[in-house]
């Protein structure tokens, strides 16, 4: 059967905008450019690059992504006012295929408490702002924020207004993750039946995962007539996250018999994208996460293992290589050379330049000297640690020595390089990690609060690397730090310092007051 345009579902990735709203997931410009480049290469149709009016940093990121994109439509978000829309257009206009995405909260709660408009005022505002956006750009998306809690009559009315004003895509967001699959489909069907011109525009669905139904709700909307799914890599996003890109793409691919739709996504890049976003955001992927989790293709029970040995299809509905997962999982050691390391990292989805490979190879050799076997997971952790160790960081861990045990006090002797100057101190604490964090605080006084401290072993065994995640909060700003080391306390110190460095960068970043979800 040939794929028709009617059967195509556009993938609208909002990892860089809605995904970045996750507490602690703010990304640097370089990280956003790297993710956007991969999304473009893997076939994402529309990349929502950010919210240009939110800050100078967001504006610059959207502008640079627009300039570098080769295939994808580059979209910026704007509230329903002329200033936002003009700023959005300034950011996306240099893209080969720009889009303005404007939104307003249409539900009773949003009308009364968020935007403080009655139905008539809002209808007029929608007409004016969508028309203004269309005068600037021929590709305009309009979103009815909190659509799934909006009265049907009013939702139909404002969708018709937006279409007549020039919107080419109408997005129906489940902003608070409130709807269920049947209702998600019914809303789309209702709009197609009642709204003139609804069948001539692209209908989009944007679902949050508060009740664990984002993927199901998105696919139900597609079956009812939606042809654009808004999603993020790893389901990243505020609260419980968004629809996961990898889940909807593979669901339509594996169950094409009952969902006869297709996307332009190169599924073999899914694992690479997942790892990159996990690294950049500092949000590790849960082990049992569908499609991209560490255990997604693992089989431990005897019945499952026996079935897999006889025929993989007994307990696997997709092959690991379909999503870009390397079939091998071990073979590196201290005698492995640079070429072998490059090839192995390529298999794992990491493409390195010569200078980056040189730096990673030194780290790899150091790790291999401390571990008998270096697993795939160790290399991924090594790459994550490398990406968080920026050369321009103001604070760096130079040396750490701790004394711990049943007899206190536990102490930490720490040397940090702060703005190029080495400073040392000895501090005590309730355990080696607490003593280490106290030492950092002593050398670099700050008001940031430790909101999360999390450790997990990368592999099994007493020589396993520990990956430590640290979340810091300061004046409403949040930063996530991450590091890996065979020494848990060293990893803790580096993760803590990494979070502090990110906070220093983010002190200048301002968050918008009102966002669509």
């Amino acid at each position: 059967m040939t794929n028709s345009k009617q059967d195509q579902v556009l993938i609208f990735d909002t990892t860089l905008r809605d995904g970045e709203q996750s507490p602690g997931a703010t990304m640097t410009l370089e990280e956003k450019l790297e993710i956007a480049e991969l999304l473009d290469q893997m076939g994402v149709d529309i990349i929502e690059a950010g919210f240009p009016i939110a800050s100078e940093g967001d504006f610059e990121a959207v502008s640079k992504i627009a300039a570098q994109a080769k295939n994808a439509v580059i979209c910026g978000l704007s509230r329903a006012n002329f200033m936002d829309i003009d700023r959005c257009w300034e950011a996306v206009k240099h893209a080969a295929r720009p889009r303005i995405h404007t939104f307003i909260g249409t539900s009773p709660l949003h009308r009364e408490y968020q935007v403080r408009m009655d139905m008539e005022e809002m209808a007029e505002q929608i007409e004016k702002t969508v028309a203004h956006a269309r005068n600037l750009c021929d590709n305009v998306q309009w979103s009815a924020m909190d659509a799934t809690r909006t009265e049907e009559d009013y939702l139909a009315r404002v969708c018709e207004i937006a279409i007549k004003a020039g919107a080419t895509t109408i997005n129906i967001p489940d902003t608070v993750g409130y709807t269920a699959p049947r209702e998600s489909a019914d809303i789309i069907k209702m709009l197609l039946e009642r709204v003139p011109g609804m069948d001539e525009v692209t209908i989009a669905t944007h679902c949050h995962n508060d009740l664990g139904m984002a993927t199901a709700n998105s696919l139900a909307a597609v079956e009812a007539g939606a042809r654009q799914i808004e999603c993020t890599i790893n389901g990243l996003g505020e609260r419980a996250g968004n629809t996961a890109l990898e889940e909807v793409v593979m669901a339509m691919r594996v169950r094409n018999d009952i969902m006869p739709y297709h996307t332009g996504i190169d599924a073999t890049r899914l694992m690479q994208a997942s790892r990159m976003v996990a690294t950049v955001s500092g949000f590790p992927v849960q082990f049992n996460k569908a499609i991209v989790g560490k255990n997604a293709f693992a089989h431990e029970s005897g019945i499952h293992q026996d079935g897999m040995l006889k025929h993989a299809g007994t307990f696997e509905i997709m092959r690991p290589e379909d999503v870009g997962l390397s079939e091998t999982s071990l073979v590196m050691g201290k005698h492995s050379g640079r070429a072998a390391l490059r090839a192995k990292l390529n298999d794992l989805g990491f493409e390195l330049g010569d200078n980056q490979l040189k730096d990673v190879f030194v780290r790899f050799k150091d790790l291999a000297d401390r571990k008998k076997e270096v697993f795939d997971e160790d290399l991924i952790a090594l790459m994550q640690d490398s990406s968080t160790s920026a050369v321009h960081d103001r604070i760096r861990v130079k040396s750490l020595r701790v004394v711990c045990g049943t007899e206190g006090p536990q102490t930490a002797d720490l040397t940090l390089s702060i703005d190029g100057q080495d400073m040392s101190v000895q501090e005590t604490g309730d355990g080696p990690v607490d003593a280490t964090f106290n030492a950092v605080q002593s050398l670099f006084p700050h008001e940031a609060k430790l909101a999360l401290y999390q450790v997990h072993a990368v592999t099994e065994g007493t020589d396993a690397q520990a990956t430590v995640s640290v979340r810091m909060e300061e004046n409403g700003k949040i930063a996530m730090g991450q590091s890996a080391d065979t020494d848990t306390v060293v990893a803790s110190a580096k993760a803590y310092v990494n979070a502090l460095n990110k906070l220093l960068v983010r002190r200048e970043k301002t968050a918008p007051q009102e966002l669509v979800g």
Side-chain angles (χ1 to χ4, degrees):
M1 184 180 92
T2 5
N3 290 326
S4 71
K5 191 173 179 183
Q6 181 58 26
D7 297 329
Q8 182 179 9
V9 175
L10 302 175
I11 296 298
F12 176 113
D13 184 276
T14 184
T15 302
L16 299 176
R17 200 280 300 167
D18 204 341
E20 203 205 10
Q21 287 174 221
S22 299
T26 308
M27 305 166 192
T28 65
L29 174 61
E30 292 74 20
E31 289 167 343
K32 287 184 176 183
L33 289 169
E34 189 180 9
I35 290 172
E37 184 177 22
L38 177 56
L39 295 175
D40 197 21
Q41 290 172 353
M42 67 189 283
V44 166
D45 299 286
I46 305 103
I47 299 171
E48 187 165 56
F51 194 168
I53 206 163
S55 68
E56 285 301 320
D58 261 34
F59 180 85
E60 184 184 8
V62 177
S63 301
K64 291 197 170 180
I65 290 168
Q68 84 170 11
K70 292 182 172 61
N71 306 303
V73 170
I74 301 302
C75 173
L77 183 68
S78 66
R79 290 166 294 193
N81 64 66
F82 287 5
M83 187 183 295
D84 270 42
I85 291 167
D86 289 344
R87 188 67 168 159
C88 181
W89 174 240
E90 283 299 312
V92 301
K93 69 180 181 182
H94 297 298
R97 302 169 66 201
R99 174 182 291 189
I100 294 173
H101 177 194
T102 183
F103 72 94
I104 197 165
T106 56
S107 69
L109 279 169
H110 281 249
R111 292 196 306 265
E112 184 175 354
Y113 297 106
Q114 188 83 358
V115 289
R116 293 183 172 85
M117 290 183 183
D118 63 29
M119 287 182 172
E120 295 309 315
E121 290 171 323
M122 182 169 287
E124 186 180 344
Q125 187 74 359
I126 292 167
E127 184 177 20
K128 287 193 302 187
T129 52
V130 172
H132 181 67
R134 184 57 192 265
N135 284 335
L136 298 170
C137 181
D138 62 4
N139 189 337
V140 174
Q141 174 168 321
W142 177 76
S143 288
M145 183 160 69
D146 206 20
T148 56
R149 294 193 297 172
T150 300
E151 307 94 321
E152 284 193 358
D153 287 348
Y154 191 62
L155 183 61
R157 179 186 172 194
V158 290
C159 285
E160 182 177 354
I161 289 169
I163 292 170
K164 286 180 178 176
T168 50
T169 298
I170 298 292
N171 181 34
I172 308 300
D174 184 27
T175 304
V176 293
Y178 177 73
T179 197
R182 183 185 299 171
E183 184 179 58
S184 178
D186 286 346
I187 291 171
I188 302 298
K189 289 175 186 173
M190 179 275 294
L191 292 172
L192 279 167
E193 289 168 4
R194 294 181 54 177
V195 178
M198 197 74 181
D199 58 340
E200 296 171 11
V201 299
T202 301
I203 303 173
T205 180
H206 176 120
C207 300
H208 279 259
N209 203 39
D210 297 70
L211 294 174
M213 293 190 283
T215 294
N217 288 337
S218 296
L219 293 171
V222 167
E223 287 189 290
R227 287 297 178 268
Q228 176 179 298
I229 294 178
E230 308 204 349
C231 46
T232 61
I233 301 293
N234 296 339
L236 192 67
E238 56 188 336
R239 303 188 318 276
N242 291 270
T243 302
L245 182 150
E246 60 276 3
E247 292 177 15
V248 291
V249 167
M250 292 309 294
M252 287 185 283
R253 179 169 168 169
V254 172
R255 293 310 313 272
N256 201 247
D257 55 329
I258 59 170
M259 291 180 283
Y261 314 107
H262 69 278
T263 72
I265 298 295
D266 176 1
T268 63
R269 308 293 290 269
L270 290 174
M271 193 60 70
Q272 180 185 0
S274 171
R275 287 167 178 161
M276 182 184 290
V277 170
T279 300
V280 165
S281 66
F283 279 51
V285 178
Q286 67 190 65
F287 284 7
N288 62 339
K289 166 77 176 65
I291 316 298
V292 292
K294 179 181 175 181
N295 291 348
F297 294 94
H299 303 273
E300 187 167 331
S301 92
I303 293 173
H304 282 229
Q305 288 176 343
D306 181 63
M308 287 294 294
L309 289 169
K310 292 172 178 171
H311 191 290
T314 53
F315 289 103
E316 266 186 7
I317 58 173
M318 343 167 232
R319 301 175 305 164
E321 55 267 35
D322 291 343
V323 298
L325 190 63
S326 173
E327 291 182 36
T328 59
S329 64
L330 164 75
V331 255
M332 301 297 290
K334 65 180 181 179
H335 299 298
S336 299
R338 194 170 304 191
L341 178 63
R342 185 196 289 273
K344 184 64 170 174
L345 289 172
N346 282 342
D347 284 345
L348 294 173
F350 299 102
E351 296 176 12
L352 280 70
D354 291 339
N355 288 338
Q356 192 181 6
L357 178 65
K358 185 178 177 181
D359 174 64
V360 171
F361 187 66
V362 171
R363 294 168 180 259
F364 163 71
K365 282 293 189 182
D366 178 58
L367 177 63
D369 282 338
R370 289 181 283 155
K371 287 192 58 140
K372 293 176 183 177
E373 299 169 326
V374 179
F375 294 82
D376 288 0
E377 292 84 358
D378 289 311
L379 293 174
I380 293 165
L382 188 71
M383 290 302 299
Q384 291 172 339
D385 197 37
S386 299
S387 72
T388 58
S389 304
V391 291
H392 56 270
D393 282 349
R394 288 184 57 192
I395 317 168
R396 306 186 80 180
V397 176
K398 291 294 292 278
S399 67
L400 173 64
R401 180 177 177 273
V402 297
V403 176
C404 60
T406 56
E407 295 181 10
Q410 287 78 33
T411 62
D413 291 294
L414 176 68
T415 300
L416 296 180
S417 172
I418 302 174
D419 294 328
Q421 182 180 353
D422 288 358
M423 301 174 68
S424 302
V425 74
Q426 183 182 86
E427 287 288 345
T428 60
D430 184 15
V433 174
D434 187 49
T436 299
F437 287 3
N438 288 342
V440 176
Q441 172 78 41
S442 176
L443 291 173
F444 191 85
H446 58 84
E447 299 299 320
K449 304 296 181 190
L450 180 65
L452 171 75
Y453 172 74
Q454 183 174 281
V455 183
H456 75 267
V458 173
T459 56
E460 297 177 357
T462 55
D463 64 349
Q465 283 194 98
T467 292
V468 177
S469 299
V470 167
R471 184 183 299 158
M472 306 286 287
E473 295 182 2
E474 179 187 58
N475 299 325
K477 295 180 177 63
I478 302 171
M480 180 76 81
Q482 201 173 44
S483 189
D485 198 280
T486 52
D487 187 314
T488 305
V489 184
V490 171
S492 301
K494 289 181 177 178
Y496 188 85
V497 165
N498 180 234
L500 278 180
N501 279 312
K502 288 183 178 179
L503 272 180
L504 293 176
V505 172
R506 281 164 201 154
R507 279 177 179 172
E508 299 177 1
K509 185 175 177 72
T510 55
Q513 294 179 343
E514 179 184 327
L515 293 175
V516 68

